[in-house]
Amino acid sequence: MKLKHMYILFLLVFSLYNTSKGQSYKHTDLGIKTVINSTEIEIQFYGPSTVRILKFPEGDEFEKKSLSVIMQPQEEIFDIQEMGREITLKSKKISVVLNLKNGQVAFKTISGEPLLNEKAYVGKFTDFIDAGDTTYSVSQSYVLDENEAIYGLGILQRGKMSQRNQEVRMVQNNTEDYVPFFLSEKGYGVYWDNYSPTTFKDNSESTSFSSEVGDGIDYYFMYGGNSDGVIACMRNLTGQVPMFPLWTFGYWQSKERYKSQNEIVGVVKKYRELGVPLDGIIQDWQYWGNNYLWNAMEFLNPDFANPQKMVNDIHDLNAHIIISIWSSFGPMTKPYREMNPKGMLLDIGTWPQSGLTSWPPNKDYPSGVKPYDPYNPEARDIYWKYLNQGIFKLGMDGWWMDSTEPDHLDFRAQDMDNKTYLGSFRKVRNAYPLMTVGGVYEHQREVSSDKRVFILTRSAFAGQQRYGANTWSGDVSSSWESLRNQIPAGLNFSLCGIPYWNSDIGGFFAGAYNKNWNDGSGSKNPLYQELYVRWLQFGAFTPMMRSHGTDVPREIYQFGKEGEPIYDAIEKAIKLRYSLLPYIYGTAWDVTKNQSSFMRALVMDFNDENVKDLRNEYMFGKSILVAPIDSAQYTSEKVLKIDADTGWDKAEKEDTKSNTETNFRKPKSKNVYLPAGEEWYDFWTNETYLGGQNITATTTIDKIPLYIKAGSILPFGPKVKYAAEKKWDKLEIRIYEGANGEFTLYEDENDNYNYEKGMYSTITFNWNDAEKVLTINDREGNFPGMLKERTFGIVKVGKGKAAGDEVVMLFDKVVKYNGKKVLVKF
């Protein structure tokens, strides 16, 4: 072990003690440890930008293998300085100051600028009996600047962008996924590494995390300088993001539920007949039969008599299928019968509550369904064994992992005392989704490298980005309020370092819109049509564009036919998504390679006070500003408050029938704020605006406000019916002049892990605005099937050069490219 460079020279071979002023501390390989006010405190450098703080009562032992943190601490060169009652540890990036009198820890930049202070005490430990074991409840408070904005905490349905001035009880549930992490506008982040029920509280006095169970306080401070830097630190700490398959970025159709294999295959056939692009279809629950066979991981329902044919038929239509699997099992299933004698099932109430499928649940006939213990490695092995045997070997393309919180119904106090492999359920409660999703990812990776793991999951925890998982926001209600809440929910989740997120397009519980409606489906109800179209347009600019819900069917042909405004608006949004696939896939590579984010809160990219708490606009990638229409413009808005646990009770829904004819062809408008310091192009008209102002954007039912940042280079792909239908041999490249710009076009084999071996290619485009020169650089890398030659149609979008909606831009230059550097001068 190499000695660290320090200003303090009196180092002993094994340890160092400073006894000045009655205080002592011990030098360790990673930092220091000491005892202050009967509390052991240890400061550990995990790298130049990340520090771990450990605290526990003197005389106790605190050994913990983190479930989220996979980074190994690095041997870091740091200096130690002592002045008065303070000791300062300095790395190349940050300073950590420990008050030797009261145990307060403060964090500063290397130049001494304050970042974050603990409140002036060492932390709080309260005796707690956890399922018979003596331990503590733990708490730590911090002092933030009065107007400091912070973000993160997971997926919250509260409509807030900055997470100040609130109290959040963190216990995973259907529609809120908690990550005990926040990111500050000052360029630092704090991850509270605890998995028990936790309360985040922020008020004028302090900001704190308090957890029910903890043998000690354990948190990480990271300084990145800006949001991207903090996210990079969080991913270095908890895991990097793999590439998702190209097909996952196309359009996905789903509902609760397709009731036969003929029905689900028929939906794909209908999309192909209509020429509307589609890449994925999802089979929801009950393909296994009755509730006593819940999640059997077998096709036991006679309406799915030949599942291999179903999968083959969908693949033959050039589409992909993923299927619902749960974290629980019915008592008649093989996994249940194997796990139960081994104590691998949790005795808590979960969905479904009855063995009968009638509503409301008849609890005289309990289902007996129980969640399994994913903390147990053998239980994860058993889970995969049946999943592999019953479904994966059919050629299933991915997993819709429902109830990964898991559902916890009919709560009893003793439920949290359930023993898991890692202790009480209370102790590890919030990490349940991380463990169950991770189990599927790791097992599939062991048996196949030809198919990238793709998991759609209802819950998440810190570190889940490393498992090929896209989290959706749960069974949210179909209302404008709910749509408004999804935007900051997705942005704050992304700011936790987990970039893949989506929501049920149209909301899940939509029964209010079909009660007493003409055809009983609600899809012809103008109130729902407007909400659905606006949600779909928002969904086109999220990492996964997926339509799903109950009560109202969501397939495009349910809403009308070609030539009608609602049908045309849906088709236009889907086709726009597909035209942007080269941009989206390039952004996915930026996420994987450079630790970037898909959905970017405006505070990430713009030094503008007006965007710090702006909750209804964001960047999709680094070029496209999206301003979703989140309020009704054509119909009266109904705000529906629906509890996800009782949302199935259709009798409680209000009648939202509209008796007035709606003119969806009339233009409307929306106020949009354009961030300062940039010039912006209206995507539809190419009209230019200076940032730092509110503008009134003209909208129609088939258009939402989209703006392109000057200096952007956007690639547009061919018209296709599915993502991989055509090679990208002829791409349109739009250059939005007004600033220098860069974009890297990324390509690989679309659906295997060969990219991890370097089998991919990149072409980087650079725009020099002053010289009006586009440089198409040498292609780097190669892979089987790579295009050797291609054509780029270049469009220079200039100020005042309006294209108009639906007008095809004429190429300014056509470039034949064979992989060698090309300069295109304008």
Side-chain angles (χ1 to χ4, degrees):
M1 181 66 67
K2 296 180 181 178
L3 293 177
K4 311 296 187 295
H5 297 294
M6 299 181 178
Y7 297 126
I8 309 297
L9 300 179
F10 45 101
L11 293 174
L12 300 178
V13 175
F14 298 103
S15 63
L16 174 149
Y17 287 88
N18 181 340
T19 56
S20 65
K21 303 177 183 64
Q23 301 295 333
S24 65
Y25 63 87
K26 180 180 179 181
H27 170 63
T28 70
D29 290 335
L30 302 177
I32 64 168
K33 58 184 177 182
T34 187
V35 178
I36 300 174
N37 296 336
S38 301
T39 300
E40 298 199 29
I41 302 174
E42 186 163 0
I43 299 172
Q44 301 177 346
F45 278 94
Y46 267 55
S49 303
T50 301
V51 176
R52 183 186 187 190
I53 307 297
L54 290 164
K55 302 180 183 182
F56 52 95
E58 183 180 12
D60 288 357
E61 292 185 359
F62 183 29
E63 296 290 338
K64 185 181 83 174
K65 179 175 173 57
S66 177
L67 300 178
S68 293
V69 175
I70 61 174
M71 180 183 183
Q72 295 299 313
Q74 303 170 16
E75 184 180 345
E76 179 61 30
I77 297 175
F78 58 91
D79 296 328
I80 296 180
Q81 299 175 320
E82 186 177 359
M83 182 174 293
R85 297 178 178 179
E86 292 184 341
I87 183 169
T88 299
L89 291 77
K90 282 189 176 183
S91 72
K92 292 180 291 185
K93 299 289 186 180
I94 51 175
S95 296
V96 184
V97 181
L98 174 64
N99 186 307
L100 292 170
K101 181 178 181 180
N102 61 21
Q104 179 191 32
V105 180
F107 305 93
K108 300 180 180 181
T109 67
I110 197 65
S111 61
E113 181 181 352
L115 293 170
L116 177 70
N117 292 345
E118 291 182 348
K119 203 161 185 183
Y121 57 80
V122 296
K124 187 176 182 181
F125 303 90
T126 305
D127 290 340
F128 186 83
I129 304 299
D130 177 31
D133 296 329
T134 300
T135 183
Y136 305 99
S137 295
V138 294
S139 179
Q140 179 66 60
S141 297
Y142 309 91
V143 179
L144 275 61
D145 294 345
E146 181 179 359
N147 297 316
E148 181 179 351
I150 61 172
Y151 311 95
L153 302 184
I155 298 173
L156 275 62
Q157 301 289 343
R158 303 185 178 197
K160 290 175 66 68
M161 191 60 234
S162 175
Q163 302 288 26
R164 296 298 302 270
N165 303 309
Q166 64 176 329
E167 183 172 330
V168 180
R169 174 68 170 167
M170 295 182 165
V171 184
Q172 307 289 21
N173 63 55
N174 184 321
T175 58
E176 292 197 322
D177 302 335
Y178 299 108
V179 180
F181 167 87
F182 67 82
L183 181 155
S184 168
E185 63 170 314
K186 293 168 68 174
Y188 72 81
V190 174
Y191 171 52
W192 177 258
D193 195 16
N194 187 291
Y195 324 119
S196 72
T198 294
T199 298
F200 168 84
K201 187 175 182 179
D202 177 76
N203 55 36
S204 59
E205 296 181 357
S206 66
T207 303
S208 63
F209 286 110
S210 302
S211 295
E212 284 189 7
V213 178
D215 294 330
I217 290 169
D218 187 0
Y219 74 88
Y220 294 81
F221 177 90
M222 54 205 82
Y223 179 65
N226 55 36
S227 299
D228 281 307
V230 176
I231 288 170
C233 289
M234 188 62 174
R235 293 199 196 144
N236 288 338
L237 191 68
T238 62
Q240 302 300 334
V241 182
M243 277 296 290
F244 282 46
L246 177 65
W247 48 267
T248 65
F249 298 108
Y251 175 68
W252 283 80
Q253 188 62 64
S254 180
K255 67 180 292 186
E256 190 288 304
R257 62 186 167 89
Y258 296 118
K259 296 183 179 180
S260 71
Q261 68 184 75
N262 289 336
E263 182 184 7
I264 191 171
V265 173
V267 171
V268 181
K269 288 182 177 178
K270 185 67 173 178
Y271 270 84
R272 293 292 179 252
E273 292 169 5
L274 293 171
V276 178
L278 177 76
D279 262 272
I281 192 85
I282 306 177
Q283 178 57 50
D284 207 340
W285 58 8
Q286 293 184 355
Y287 59 88
W288 48 72
N290 63 58
N291 286 354
Y292 297 112
L293 292 169
W294 189 264
N295 196 36
M297 296 178 174
E298 294 182 81
F299 290 86
L300 302 174
N301 185 330
D303 291 319
F304 295 85
N306 192 341
Q308 185 65 72
K309 184 177 186 302
M310 176 185 70
V311 173
N312 292 346
D313 287 347
I314 289 171
H315 287 170
D316 290 343
L317 290 164
N318 297 298
H320 295 80
I321 177 173
I322 68 174
I323 197 162
S324 173
I325 57 175
W326 289 61
S327 303
S328 52
F329 296 99
M332 301 305 294
T333 63
K334 295 174 184 177
Y336 185 106
R337 285 180 280 163
E338 184 169 350
M339 290 184 184
N340 192 42
K342 299 181 178 183
M344 297 176 178
L345 300 175
L346 303 179
D347 184 21
I348 66 172
T350 194
W351 180 271
Q353 295 164 293
S354 173
L356 307 179
T357 57
S358 58
W359 185 265
N362 186 338
K363 295 184 181 180
D364 290 336
Y365 300 91
S367 68
V369 173
K370 293 183 178 181
Y372 88 111
D373 177 6
Y375 310 97
N376 188 323
E378 184 183 356
R380 295 196 298 270
D381 291 344
I382 294 170
Y383 190 100
W384 174 254
K385 178 178 70 174
Y386 289 103
L387 184 59
N388 187 29
Q389 291 175 356
I391 303 181
F392 185 59
K393 288 186 176 179
L394 297 173
M396 192 62 61
D397 297 301
W399 313 108
W400 184 14
M401 298 188 69
D402 211 337
S403 190
T404 46
E405 308 86 36
D407 277 314
H408 191 172
L409 310 177
D410 303 321
F411 180 84
R412 305 167 302 174
Q414 64 266 31
D415 288 351
M416 301 301 277
D417 291 338
N418 266 262
K419 291 291 187 180
T420 77
Y421 185 80
L422 295 180
S424 75
F425 187 42
R426 180 184 297 105
K427 184 176 183 179
V428 292
R429 172 69 179 93
N430 283 337
Y432 192 101
L434 177 72
M435 301 306 292
T436 190
V437 168
V440 171
Y441 175 87
E442 290 171 347
H443 279 93
Q444 185 175 328
R445 287 292 319 250
E446 288 174 357
V447 301
S448 175
S449 294
D450 296 330
K451 186 190 295 287
R452 293 178 196 167
V453 181
F454 177 66
I455 296 170
L456 175 63
T457 174
R458 198 172 76 181
S459 193
F461 193 70
Q464 202 154 307
Q465 72 278 355
R466 64 184 185 251
Y467 290 140
N470 192 317
T471 305
W472 95 93
S473 57
D475 297 339
V476 297
S477 65
S478 299
S479 71
W480 288 96
E481 180 184 35
S482 183
L483 172 57
R484 284 190 285 271
N485 290 343
Q486 300 317 299
I487 303 168
L491 293 174
N492 274 294
F493 187 62
S494 298
L495 284 161
C496 292
I498 310 176
Y500 284 98
W501 175 93
N502 71 108
S503 65
D504 288 345
I505 290 175
F508 185 73
F509 293 115
Y513 295 95
N514 68 14
K515 183 181 178 184
N516 297 326
W517 191 250
N518 296 341
D519 62 356
S521 72
S523 55
K524 300 299 193 300
N525 185 338
L527 277 73
Y528 187 73
Q529 287 181 331
E530 183 182 8
L531 174 65
Y532 180 77
V533 165
R534 295 314 192 193
W535 207 315
L536 184 87
Q537 291 163 339
F538 162 59
F541 294 92
T542 62
M544 185 180 188
M545 187 183 187
R546 180 188 59 89
S547 172
H548 177 71
T550 191
D551 304 310
V552 177
R554 313 295 167 90
E555 298 82 14
I556 185 173
Y557 47 83
Q558 306 284 358
F559 292 89
K561 59 185 178 181
E562 186 176 2
E564 296 176 351
I566 296 300
Y567 180 102
D568 290 349
I570 294 170
E571 182 181 37
K572 182 174 180 177
I574 294 172
K575 288 186 174 180
L576 176 58
R577 171 78 173 196
Y578 277 82
S579 71
L580 289 169
L581 281 180
Y583 173 78
I584 292 170
Y585 207 48
T587 300
W589 177 242
D590 196 27
V591 168
T592 294
K593 179 69 163 55
N594 302 316
Q595 302 175 314
S596 188
S597 299
F598 258 104
M599 295 178 66
R600 303 177 61 83
L602 296 184
V603 72
M604 295 179 71
D605 294 310
F606 307 104
N607 184 21
D608 182 342
E609 286 292 314
N610 294 312
V611 305
K612 284 171 54 173
D613 203 24
L614 193 59
R615 64 182 187 173
N616 61 353
E617 299 178 22
Y618 62 97
M619 297 296 290
F620 185 62
K622 294 177 180 176
S623 296
I624 304 175
L625 186 148
V626 184
I629 295 177
D630 58 0
S631 298
Q633 295 178 317
Y634 295 91
T635 60
S636 61
E637 180 173 320
K638 282 278 187 178
V639 177
L640 305 176
K641 295 183 180 295
I642 300 176
D643 187 332
D645 292 334
T646 61
W648 289 92
D649 192 354
K650 300 178 179 64
E652 294 182 358
K653 307 291 194 303
E654 297 180 51
D655 180 4
T656 59
K657 180 178 178 180
S658 171
N659 293 314
T660 59
E661 185 176 349
T662 303
N663 181 9
F664 282 123
R665 300 187 187 277
K666 185 178 180 180
K668 300 288 184 178
S669 63
K670 175 181 170 65
N671 184 66
V672 177
Y673 180 76
L674 298 176
E678 304 289 345
E679 194 166 18
W680 297 92
Y681 287 79
D682 185 311
F683 175 79
W684 305 106
T685 68
N686 290 340
E687 187 176 357
T688 55
Y689 300 88
L690 289 176
Q693 63 172 323
N694 287 288
I695 65 169
T696 301
T698 299
T699 67
T700 55
I701 192 62
D702 64 347
K703 287 194 307 185
I704 63 171
L706 300 172
Y707 293 87
I708 312 301
K709 187 174 68 172
S712 295
I713 302 172
L714 291 188
F716 287 79
K719 294 181 179 180
V720 293
K721 294 182 181 178
Y722 55 92
E725 181 185 14
K726 298 176 183 177
K727 291 184 177 294
W728 294 346
D729 55 342
K730 296 178 181 178
L731 295 182
E732 177 183 329
I733 309 295
R734 295 187 195 176
I735 304 163
Y736 291 83
E737 65 175 341
N740 294 335
E742 179 177 299
F743 180 80
T744 297
L745 181 70
Y746 172 84
E747 294 169 294
D748 60 20
E749 296 174 89
N750 297 332
D751 192 10
N752 59 40
Y753 286 101
N754 286 340
Y755 77 89
E756 294 182 341
K757 305 172 185 177
M759 298 170 67
Y760 62 87
S761 76
T762 58
I763 302 171
T764 298
F765 297 77
N766 294 102
W767 170 250
N768 186 313
D769 195 62
E771 298 182 6
K772 305 303 179 189
V773 173
L774 174 70
T775 301
I776 309 175
N777 291 281
D778 291 337
R779 181 178 56 232
E780 296 185 2
N782 61 80
F783 60 91
M786 182 184 70
L787 289 168
K788 302 295 184 182
E789 297 181 348
R790 68 206 316 161
T791 301
F792 294 125
I794 314 297
V795 178
K796 183 171 70 69
V797 185
K799 302 173 187 177
K801 183 181 176 182
D805 188 13
E806 298 301 315
V807 175
V808 177
M809 295 188 189
L810 299 177
F811 296 152
D812 292 298
K813 303 276 187 178
V814 176
V815 176
K816 298 290 185 181
Y817 179 77
N818 62 6
K820 299 298 182 182
K821 183 176 179 179
V822 177
L823 297 181
V824 185
K825 298 181 180 181
F826 291 88

